[in-house]
Amino acid sequence: MGLKVKEFRVFFGLLWFVLLIFQPVAGLRPLREGARSWGDEWLVARKDENEVGPFNAWNITGTYRGAWRFIQSSNTSSRFPDFKKSSGNSVLELITRPTKINGVHYVQGVMIFHDVFDNEPEVGRVQIRVEGVYIWPFRQLRLVANSGREGEFGQEEDYILSNPYHLLGVFSSQVFQESPRDKIWKSKQSPISDMDKHCNVEISAQISRVSSTQSDGEHDRYYLEGLMESPSADDDGDCFSPMLMNATSVNIEVYYNKAVNYTLMVTFISFLQVLLLIRQMEHSNTQSGAAKVSILMIGQQAIMDAYLCLLHLTAGILVESLFNAFATAAFFKFVVFSIFEMRYLLAIWKAGRSTNNGEGWEAMRRELSVLYSRFYGILLGGILIMYEFHRYLRPILLVLHSFWIPQIVTNIVSDSRKPLHPHYIIGMSLTRLAIPMYVFGCPHNFMRIEPDKNWCITLGVVVAFQAAILILQHYLGSRCFIPRQILPEKYCYFRRVDQDANHATDCVICMTAIDLTQHSNDCMVTPCDHFFHSGCLQRWMDIKMECPTCRRSLPPA
């Protein structure tokens, strides 16, 4: 081991000596001698006119994001025929540390090429581990990767893999990107996945600093531009054609702040949803009011919040540096789901089974067990369905956001009168749209998902259409948009009565007299011919749909 380190130091000492001899460099020198001087042909060293004199050492450790493309129109090598695409995106993770040789830094890293042989960015990718030197007086970066040598990165690889940028990219690709398992299997079976076992990768690049006007925040950002070649390890031709690559360093602090701001948004939205749920529970705090609310509507929203809680908790466990932020968001979603929505769900269930209250505690326990079994069975079944049909994630999200449809149908069937508060309808519609709109609509989201404008518009229209129908049902009646010709006959509480008949003229609710001398809207008559003031009976029917006098069930008003 000591002999290898000694040979390594001698190699870089000789390299540094050669660079000092040929200090007036017009281009990058090749790492290998051959028929084509790939560094001198394609790259020209560019010095900043404002940085005349001795250079300062730049710390280029970090994450770089950019693009790659073949110099020719496509890959002309027959070594890897699956390498069909001519351009794509790339991510480069670098770690540097000084050496005993002045002006030379040792570099280790991982380079990930996306869009290699498939349109799926996280499926058709190749990952190559690289190492080399960064000669900072000349801003030159030389990297090689020869996987014929088994090497261990140790703590440096752990640092790279624990980077929030890398981990959140992996998380979003597994959850939100459409990457079917058959294509993942295809990528693993492709020879490209073993490229680093058969090829030597040589990268020569020039480093420059991004101007302060283009840089985010106070931290320095760097731009990397260079050439990449890959001769075969067994001298059987190049593995792929030469390619140009460029990348710009990612400000991890800005990226970190984006993730924290997202969790703050989720926390604030959860707090608003708690307030809206409390307002709705006050609106339907009676048994009759709770019975008008669809249990399927509340259950669907509770399942959505449970999924969001699990997603944020998983992201926090995966990205350890962001655990506190994501755990806070998951906790608030857990509060919304387990405390408020489940409590409201039980209240609606209890109001709907009022006729069976006399069956005893054992019957209630059995029914309650069935309710919980169905709820958590649907919760787990939904996870399996989304895993199995991962390629249809966006249509599944559209179905999940159709949570107002059960309430619309319940209003029509039972002719319910104002079951939901308008603030709850509008507020829940807006807050439910916030997270998917950020994930699939924000061009600068921290999960690096390409925005889908058409899908976001479709989702907004679907939710807005449902909310508009509920608002119309609230103010114009549950069956306002259904033609009267096809509606069943309804009982009229303001029907005319026989003036000669002997009727009680006192309202048993307020115990005051009722004027029956002329027909007006101040008097309502039940099917059992009992008279009440309009306001008294309507307030009574909001609590119980029973006749105050004979306890007979009353039809909807």
Side-chain angles (χ1 to χ4, degrees):
M1 184 65 183
L3 183 59
K4 290 185 178 181
V5 173
K6 185 176 181 180
E7 292 175 354
F8 188 81
R9 292 178 179 175
V10 171
F11 170 78
F12 286 114
L14 292 175
L15 177 62
W16 175 238
F17 178 76
V18 173
L19 290 172
L20 288 179
I21 294 177
F22 299 98
Q23 188 166 356
V25 179
L28 296 176
R29 297 296 178 185
L31 291 177
R32 64 184 175 93
E33 296 296 334
R36 180 173 68 248
S37 180
W38 53 281
D40 290 334
E41 284 185 18
W42 301 105
L43 296 177
V44 177
R46 298 176 300 175
K47 291 186 179 181
D48 194 340
E49 297 177 356
N50 298 327
E51 296 184 359
V52 179
F55 287 104
N56 295 323
W58 291 345
N59 183 11
I60 62 172
T61 297
T63 303
Y64 293 77
R65 182 176 58 184
W68 61 269
R69 66 178 179 85
F70 288 116
I71 296 176
Q72 301 175 357
S73 59
S74 62
N75 182 26
T76 58
S77 174
S78 60
R79 182 85 177 187
F80 295 105
D82 287 340
F83 211 136
K84 297 179 180 179
K85 301 197 71 174
S86 59
S87 62
N89 299 321
S90 61
V91 175
L92 178 62
E93 301 272 4
L94 294 179
I95 299 175
T96 64
R97 63 171 180 263
T99 62
K100 292 184 178 181
I101 305 175
N102 188 22
V104 177
H105 286 189
Y106 178 59
V107 182
Q108 289 179 306
V110 175
M111 192 161 194
I112 302 174
F113 293 93
H114 298 278
D115 311 313
V116 172
F117 61 89
D118 207 291
N119 292 326
E120 300 292 340
E122 294 297 332
V123 176
R125 73 177 189 177
V126 174
Q127 179 173 310
I128 303 174
R129 297 196 294 186
V130 295
E131 58 182 341
V133 292
Y134 166 52
I135 308 167
W136 56 262
F138 303 102
R139 306 299 185 232
Q140 297 179 15
L141 178 66
R142 300 292 184 90
L143 299 174
V144 296
N146 184 356
S147 294
R149 301 174 299 169
E150 293 294 335
E152 294 294 336
F153 278 124
Q155 295 180 355
E156 288 78 6
E157 185 179 19
D158 294 339
Y159 171 82
I160 291 173
L161 297 179
S162 64
N163 192 316
Y165 183 87
H166 172 76
L167 291 175
L168 287 174
V170 173
F171 174 77
S172 64
S173 67
Q174 294 298 323
V175 176
F176 296 105
Q177 301 287 355
E178 298 176 5
S179 51
R181 292 192 303 278
D182 56 345
K183 293 186 177 181
I184 295 176
W185 181 86
K186 173 187 174 182
S187 68
K188 292 182 179 179
Q189 298 299 319
S190 173
I192 298 180
S193 61
D194 296 331
M195 178 189 297
D196 54 358
K197 296 181 180 180
H198 306 287
C199 301
N200 295 326
V201 178
E202 299 177 355
I203 300 173
S204 179
Q206 186 76 24
I207 307 293
S208 60
R209 180 180 289 174
V210 179
S211 62
S212 58
T213 57
Q214 300 176 3
S215 181
D216 297 331
E218 300 178 355
H219 296 271
D220 293 332
R221 295 182 63 192
Y222 303 103
Y223 178 75
L224 182 151
E225 185 176 14
L227 177 72
M228 176 176 172
E229 288 185 321
S230 181
S232 175
D234 51 7
D235 296 329
D236 191 20
D238 291 349
C239 290
F240 52 83
S241 300
M243 65 172 62
L244 293 175
M245 48 171 292
N246 62 78
T248 305
S249 61
V250 177
N251 193 336
I252 297 298
E253 183 175 349
V254 173
Y255 187 75
Y256 182 91
N257 291 336
K258 285 184 179 180
V260 173
N261 292 336
Y262 164 79
T263 57
L264 291 176
M265 178 194 73
V266 175
T267 302
F268 178 70
I269 288 174
S270 302
F271 181 73
L272 288 180
Q273 290 176 347
V274 168
L275 296 180
L276 292 170
L277 279 168
I278 293 175
R279 184 68 184 89
Q280 171 60 25
M281 293 169 73
E282 292 176 350
H283 176 74
S284 58
N285 59 353
T286 62
Q287 184 176 355
S288 176
K292 299 176 184 177
V293 182
S294 172
I295 193 172
L296 294 179
M297 181 265 295
I298 296 297
Q300 188 170 343
Q301 294 190 50
I303 288 176
M304 291 173 60
D305 286 323
Y307 288 155
L308 290 174
C309 175
L310 293 175
L311 280 177
H312 289 92
L313 187 60
T314 304
I317 295 174
L318 181 64
V319 188
E320 187 176 355
S321 58
L322 292 171
F323 175 78
N324 291 338
F326 280 103
T328 302
F331 171 75
F332 274 88
K333 278 298 176 185
F334 178 78
V335 169
V336 175
F337 146 67
S338 64
I339 298 179
F340 290 94
E341 287 176 334
M342 289 302 295
R343 177 184 175 185
Y344 196 31
L345 187 74
L346 292 176
I348 297 171
W349 170 79
K350 186 177 180 181
R353 63 177 303 278
S354 58
T355 57
N356 299 326
N357 283 337
E359 293 184 1
W361 173 246
E362 290 298 327
M364 178 180 288
R365 287 182 58 184
R366 286 194 300 269
E367 294 181 11
L368 194 59
S369 299
V370 171
L371 176 67
Y372 276 108
S373 300
R374 291 177 178 176
F375 178 82
Y376 288 105
I378 294 174
L379 180 66
L380 296 177
I383 296 176
L384 296 178
I385 290 174
M386 285 188 286
Y387 175 78
E388 187 69 25
F389 300 97
H390 194 264
R391 69 181 69 187
Y392 304 110
L393 178 62
R394 285 174 171 82
I396 291 175
L397 289 178
L398 285 176
V399 173
L400 284 177
H401 283 81
S402 302
F403 49 85
W404 292 129
I405 292 181
Q407 185 62 55
I408 295 174
V409 175
T410 300
N411 292 347
I412 296 174
V413 172
S414 61
D415 197 15
S416 302
R417 179 173 172 268
K418 299 181 179 181
L420 302 180
H421 197 281
H423 294 171
Y424 177 76
I425 299 173
I426 298 174
M428 275 296 179
S429 299
L430 294 177
T431 54
R432 296 289 178 194
L433 286 174
I435 295 178
M437 287 297 183
Y438 173 83
V439 173
F440 298 102
C442 179
H444 303 291
N445 64 79
F446 72 95
M447 285 174 278
R448 308 197 302 277
I449 297 176
E450 290 296 327
D452 191 344
K453 182 179 178 181
N454 295 330
W455 185 85
C456 291
I457 293 175
T458 303
L459 178 64
V461 170
V462 168
V463 176
F465 181 72
Q466 299 174 65
I469 293 179
L470 285 176
I471 294 295
L472 290 176
Q473 288 181 330
H474 180 84
Y475 290 103
L476 302 180
S478 301
R479 300 174 178 175
C480 60
F481 49 86
I482 299 178
R484 293 186 176 181
Q485 291 79 4
I486 63 175
L487 288 176
E489 293 186 2
K490 295 175 60 178
Y491 177 77
C492 180
Y493 282 87
F494 299 97
R495 60 184 176 88
R496 294 182 178 275
V497 296
D498 187 5
Q499 298 290 338
D500 298 332
N502 186 17
H503 297 290
T505 58
D506 290 336
C507 175
V508 299
I509 299 176
C510 63
M511 304 305 294
T512 57
I514 302 174
D515 185 11
L516 299 178
T517 57
Q518 58 182 357
H519 180 72
S520 67
N521 289 334
D522 294 335
C523 176
M524 295 178 67
V525 185
T526 62
C528 46
D529 292 335
H530 295 124
F531 292 80
F532 307 92
H533 291 113
S534 300
C536 296
L537 186 58
Q538 288 178 0
R539 288 192 296 270
W540 177 274
M541 292 171 66
D542 288 337
I543 301 175
K544 289 183 178 182
M545 293 298 293
E546 298 177 353
C547 176
T549 302
C550 63
R551 303 301 178 182
R552 177 182 174 181
S553 297
L554 297 177

